[in-house]
Amino acid sequence: MAANIEFNESKNTYSFYSLKELAWHGLGQVVEEAKTPEEVIRLANMDYEVALAPMYASFIPKGTDYVITTDNGFICQKIDPFTKHVTEEITIPKKGAKVNDVFATYRTDNYTVLGTVGSRYEPVQNTEAIDFIYNVCKNSNVIKPEDVIIETAGVLGKGERIFVTAKLPSYELVGDQMDKYILFTTSHDGSGSIQACFTDIRVVCNNTLNAALKNCTNLQRFKHTKNVQNAMEKGVILMRQSLAYSATASEIFTEADKKMIKDVDVLDYLTDLICTPTEKIDVMKNSVGSVIRGTEEVVSTRKLNKLVEMRNFIESGVGQDTHRGSLLWVYNGVTSYLNNGVKYKDKLDKFDSITQGNSYKIAQNAMNILQTRLAA
């Protein structure tokens, strides 16, 4: 089944918890009232721990039917199923040996092997998924912990991956109601990192998990190494700051949508964004209406082209009609240009630029200018 939800044989239930809504796959436990973290862990069959076991290489040949122990080692025999005669006999000094620096991850409840990992691997237990979510939201200046509701939790495969989503209180962003979830997922088989992010997708299976990770914001990744707990603590702080920013941004954008502007205000905003004071004076003096011009000796062609491209995204970008003529219209056009208009080398270059590079700096400056205009 595409859902890949684990069936727990000892409990005779599928390992999935859902609040109120029955998932498309129809599996698991659906409850009508939000449960405590301890109850969620139990209902989702996530109440198992993951540990490491040493690995051994077996020297017994494949297809061996019988092994005879001797003083000098082992005799491995292959036997014809019809005649019962020995068809091949191999003598080996020992059955196997320990493999250094390689371990198996396994469930301590049923001893199922989940995967193989290196010596630096540090397991992160299922309970830490919910702990992470509550730690993000425990600051009362962001959201009260009692307002955090675990919506879904599940175990995939044999237990090699788990996920938890919590629904945050809805907030309004310029007239549109926004729903947001915190998603936490980790693998126990060495196949991937721990991941936490914000998403608008309610995760209920393997497919929706993959979709949420592809279309999420503020994605945090943590490696299964000895310092994973410190890394997760830093991730909590970053996501908490993002939540606080979302609440503040909602108020700012609502006010920006009410502030109507003229063509000259658009140009004033853009030149403040990327021009030097000398360049700004030249562009403001030579431009007419929405037509942007500048003196070649003062403003480079490249910068003029960037101003024109930004102006075009403000005017004709996807979704720009919604807030046309407002200060928010300008800001949205700039961010749309940074995401869709700039020509990056590749996807990695785009990610780096938007998250910490030049595009990130321009976006931050665009927000600063927006707030300055609102305060004027």
Side-chain angles (χ1 to χ4, degrees):
M1 178 179 283
N4 200 29
I5 300 295
E6 181 221 22
F7 180 75
N8 190 302
E9 293 185 358
S10 64
K11 297 182 180 180
N12 198 36
T13 59
Y14 281 94
S15 303
F16 177 68
Y17 160 93
S18 178
L19 177 61
K20 295 184 179 179
E21 296 183 30
L22 181 68
W24 65 267
H25 47 65
L27 307 176
Q29 289 62 248
V30 180
V31 299
E32 291 302 315
E33 295 183 356
K35 300 298 181 181
T36 65
E38 294 76 15
E39 290 172 322
V40 171
I41 289 287
R42 178 177 53 79
L43 289 169
N45 298 338
M46 290 170 57
D47 50 349
Y48 63 89
E49 291 192 351
V50 177
L52 302 181
M55 293 281 289
Y56 293 85
S58 172
F59 300 148
I60 305 299
K62 184 179 180 180
T64 296
D65 298 305
Y66 192 65
V67 179
I68 303 171
T69 303
T70 69
D71 293 337
N72 298 321
F74 304 91
I75 298 174
C76 304
Q77 296 178 340
K78 293 184 179 181
I79 301 174
D80 185 286
F82 298 104
T83 65
K84 307 300 180 182
H85 294 155
V86 175
T87 59
E88 186 178 356
E89 189 170 274
I90 302 171
T91 300
I92 58 174
K94 53 185 177 179
K95 282 185 177 180
K98 183 180 178 181
V99 181
N100 293 327
D101 299 326
V102 179
F103 297 85
T105 57
Y106 71 98
R107 294 175 56 153
T108 58
D109 62 337
N110 58 18
Y111 298 96
T112 298
V113 173
L114 303 175
T116 57
V117 297
S119 59
R120 298 177 64 244
Y121 185 92
E122 185 76 12
V124 170
Q125 303 302 335
N126 296 339
T127 52
E128 295 181 73
I130 293 181
D131 288 344
F132 183 94
I133 290 173
Y134 272 78
N135 284 335
V136 169
C137 304
K138 72 179 182 181
N139 187 329
S140 60
N141 292 328
V142 180
I143 292 170
K144 295 179 181 178
E146 57 266 28
D147 290 336
V148 182
I149 298 173
I150 303 300
E151 280 274 320
T152 64
V155 179
L156 300 177
K158 299 178 295 183
E160 64 268 22
R161 177 171 284 278
I162 62 99
F163 63 85
V164 178
T165 62
K167 189 172 187 296
L168 303 174
S170 298
Y171 64 94
E172 194 171 276
L173 187 60
V174 198
D176 296 325
Q177 198 72 14
M178 306 294 290
D179 288 329
K180 182 176 285 188
Y181 300 91
I182 293 182
L183 164 65
F184 185 101
T185 180
T186 185
S187 63
H188 297 308
D189 60 357
S191 64
S193 59
I194 306 153
Q195 298 178 88
C197 64
F198 295 121
T199 178
D200 57 1
I201 295 177
R202 189 176 192 267
V203 177
V204 299
C205 64
N206 190 55
N207 288 344
T208 51
L209 174 61
N210 291 333
L213 291 173
K214 288 180 181 178
N215 300 279
C216 66
T217 59
N218 205 255
L219 177 63
Q220 307 287 323
R221 288 190 176 94
F222 317 104
K223 294 182 179 179
H224 288 269
T225 53
K226 299 299 181 183
N227 66 343
V228 65
Q229 297 300 331
N230 289 334
M232 287 171 62
E233 287 175 8
K234 293 178 181 177
V236 163
I237 294 172
L238 290 173
M239 295 189 76
R240 190 185 296 165
Q241 290 173 342
S242 179
L243 277 179
Y245 172 80
S246 294
T248 303
S250 175
E251 297 176 6
I252 292 172
F253 292 153
T254 298
E255 291 304 309
D257 191 40
K258 297 175 183 177
K259 189 174 182 65
M260 306 309 291
I261 59 175
K262 301 176 182 178
D263 280 339
V264 67
D265 298 318
V266 176
L267 188 59
D268 183 55
Y269 185 105
L270 295 180
T271 50
D272 271 353
L273 186 62
I274 64 170
C275 292
T276 66
T278 301
E279 291 170 338
K280 178 182 178 68
I281 292 171
D282 184 78
V283 172
M284 295 296 291
K285 180 178 68 176
N286 289 288
S287 300
V288 179
S290 61
V291 179
I292 298 175
R293 295 173 182 158
T295 305
E296 187 175 338
E297 292 78 12
V298 179
V299 188
S300 68
T301 302
R302 181 179 180 183
K303 185 160 288 188
L304 282 173
N305 288 339
K306 184 177 289 188
L307 288 168
V308 170
E309 288 171 3
M310 285 185 175
R311 186 66 177 82
N312 289 339
F313 266 85
I314 292 169
E315 187 66 39
S316 307
V318 176
Q320 284 298 95
D321 283 338
T322 305
H323 310 290
R324 184 169 296 280
S326 70
L327 186 57
L328 181 62
W329 173 62
V330 179
Y331 174 81
N332 284 348
V334 170
T335 56
S336 178
Y337 163 76
L338 295 174
N339 283 283
N340 305 300
V342 177
K343 292 180 174 61
Y344 300 98
K345 295 178 183 177
D346 49 41
K347 290 183 178 179
L348 179 60
D349 179 51
K350 180 178 180 178
F351 177 81
D352 288 341
S353 183
I354 290 174
T355 56
Q356 59 188 0
N358 189 57
S359 291
Y360 172 80
K361 293 176 183 177
I362 294 174
Q364 287 292 103
N365 195 22
M367 173 59 84
N368 293 339
I369 294 172
L370 181 143
Q371 290 179 272
T372 300
R373 297 293 193 275
L374 287 175

